Amino acid sequence: MTLAVVTGAARGIGHAIAAGLTEDGYDVVTVDLAGADVLADLADTRALAELVDGVRREHGPIGVLVNNAGTARLEHFNEITVESWRHVMAVNCDAPFFLSQRTAEHMIADGVEGRIVNISSKNGLVAEAGLAHYNASKGALELITKSLAAELGPFGITVNAVAPGMVATPIDGDFPLDRAAFEAAWEERIPLRGGYGAPSDVAGAVRYLVSGAARYVTGSTLVVDGGVLADQMPRRRFMPPYRNSVS
Ligand SMILES: NC(=O)c1ccc[n+]([C@@H]2O[C@H](COP(=O)([O-])OP(=O)(O)OC[C@H]3O[C@@H](n4cnc5c(N)ncnc54)[C@H](O)[C@@H]3O)[C@@H](O)[C@H]2O)c1
């Protein structure tokens, strides 16, 4: 049975990823601040190598690492303190890098053609106001993904990213905004019928990327956003109603 480590798996997208991989037959070890197999604060960058070593010692060779844990804060650019900037970067960018670094070393030592998947964001590809630190952390994660894909390819290890759009989870529950109006605006903005995505939509992309079907895919980003980044603005709202010329 292949061992898969999923960070931030106590809730939200990570929980769905862990459930999906379990369904696919992986032996899953979850990591989170609470409510997981391994309890760890991933902002403690210097403790990450030992965390990975501990998982390897206790559970055997690691075949899959999903760097999903993440944090977001809504703050104007001039309100972001050094502490806030460092925290967001530590969790969203430093932790995936150093967890991948140590995990990949074990994969190489164990002769495992492993899979690493980083959960970035549409904000790693296009910015959004109020999230300068978050955008920067996810943008960096996009290039970490490509950098590691290039370095780990010769060992048969693939490294990819999944960039979710708007997914219903508690990640932005503390954001100081009019939530009903905000969510209604997004529902209009998202092209694909149904609006917000579900954690299982992101898990589906991860399940594909770690599978044999994605053997030749590395250094890629799979955008799972219901078409948001494909559409500059919802011009369709200002157009005459759609008329089907077939029926
Ligand atoms: N929900 C969305 O709309 C959305 C969109 C794009 C990207 N993402 C990304 O998806 C990932 C999962 O987000 P989510 O929406 O499920 O959020 P969430 O807040 O529901 O879950 C995040 C998990 O990460 C854990 N975590 C946070 N900081 C940690 C730390 N220092 N140490 C250990 N664990 C920590 C939390 O405890 C939590 O269980 C994140 O990387 C996020 O940036 C989410």
Side-chain angles (χ1 to χ4, degrees):
M1 213 185 229
T2 302
L3 183 70
V5 178
V6 182
T7 70
R11 69 182 198 194
I13 292 170
H15 190 264
I17 293 169
L21 294 183
T22 301
E23 212 178 299
D24 291 343
Y26 292 86
D27 189 6
V28 177
V29 171
T30 57
V31 182
D32 210 307
L33 290 165
D37 301 319
V38 177
L39 303 188
D41 181 353
L42 300 179
D44 185 1
T45 312
R46 290 186 192 285
L48 298 177
E50 176 48 34
L51 188 161
V52 175
D53 292 352
V55 171
R56 170 65 186 83
R57 261 197 314 273
E58 207 176 313
H59 300 272
I62 301 168
V64 170
L65 169 65
V66 183
N67 286 304
N68 163 81
T71 192
R73 297 170 176 186
L74 188 71
E75 297 171 313
H76 289 289
F77 78 96
N78 60 326
E79 293 167 351
I80 296 174
T81 61
V82 171
E83 181 281 333
S84 186
W85 180 271
R86 286 271 15 112
H87 181 75
V88 172
M89 293 301 282
V91 177
N92 294 1
C93 171
D94 300 4
F97 178 76
F98 287 103
L99 288 173
S100 298
Q101 182 190 62
R102 194 65 169 185
T103 300
E105 287 207 286
H106 280 293
M107 287 171 171
I108 293 165
D110 289 330
V112 172
E113 295 197 338
R115 303 273 175 266
I116 297 175
V117 180
N118 296 319
I119 307 303
S120 64
S121 170
K122 63 175 174 41
N123 294 51
L125 303 168
V126 175
E128 201 177 356
L131 295 163
H133 34 18
Y134 184 78
N135 301 332
S137 71
K138 295 297 188 177
L141 188 54
E142 285 289 323
L143 259 295
I144 286 171
T145 301
K146 290 180 169 56
S147 305
L148 292 182
E151 291 207 42
L152 296 175
F155 301 100
I157 299 169
T158 68
V159 188
N160 291 288
V162 174
M166 300 308 291
V167 180
T169 75
I171 194 167
D172 57 353
D174 298 338
F175 282 12
L177 46 72
D178 177 345
R179 177 147 305 274
F182 176 74
E183 290 184 357
W186 268 112
E187 293 291 346
E188 290 217 29
R189 171 74 180 79
I190 299 166
L192 193 64
R193 180 194 294 180
Y196 269 58
S200 58
D201 294 322
V202 182
V206 175
R207 292 165 79 172
Y208 161 68
L209 287 169
V210 302
S211 77
R215 188 196 74 83
Y216 200 60
V217 180
T218 194
S220 291
T221 296
L222 189 42
V223 177
V224 181
D225 73 345
V228 169
L229 295 188
D231 191 12
Q232 291 178 38
M233 68 90 81
R235 184 186 289 262
R236 63 190 179 280
R237 282 173 48 195
F238 306 97
M239 293 168 65
Y242 167 76
R243 278 176 297 139
N244 194 316
S245 57
V246 172
S247 56

